[in-house]
Amino acid sequence: MSEESWFFALNDSDLKEGGMEFVRVKGTPILLIRKGGVIYSLFGKCKHMGCRLSKGTFSDEFVLKCACHGWEYDIRSGKYLGDKDEALELYENKVEDGEILILL
């Protein structure tokens, strides 16, 4: 069984309030979103066709919309709004010494 570890994702100053950044952490596509001072870390590709979610938009209601086919996800839970059984994986994150780290 592999042990989880913290890995560098992005400099904290590079993720602005209301912004999104697509990163790869140990080969895993991750979308970072800062909203209301909170950093959300989600799997960075849509469950539908694998489109990069960083090309989409998110609303004041915490809804991330994929630019390819309009699939919508709640960034707080990763849940796809069209089917309660579909969800993006969420990743724990922390800011340490000016860096955003992701637990993988």
Side-chain angles (χ1 to χ4, degrees), residues 42-83:
L42 307 99
F43 186 75
K45 294 197 173 186
C46 184
K47 298 281 279 186
H48 177 229
M49 297 284 290
C51 292
R52 195 181 271 199
L53 290 170
S54 59
K55 297 184 185 302
T57 58
F58 68 95
S59 71
D60 288 339
E61 292 79 38
F62 296 91
V63 175
L64 172 65
K65 186 174 186 176
C66 179
C68 291
H69 301 103
W71 278 40
E72 294 180 322
Y73 300 92
D74 185 321
I75 65 171
R76 298 166 295 185
S77 65
K79 295 277 186 192
Y80 168 54
L81 301 182
D83 180 348

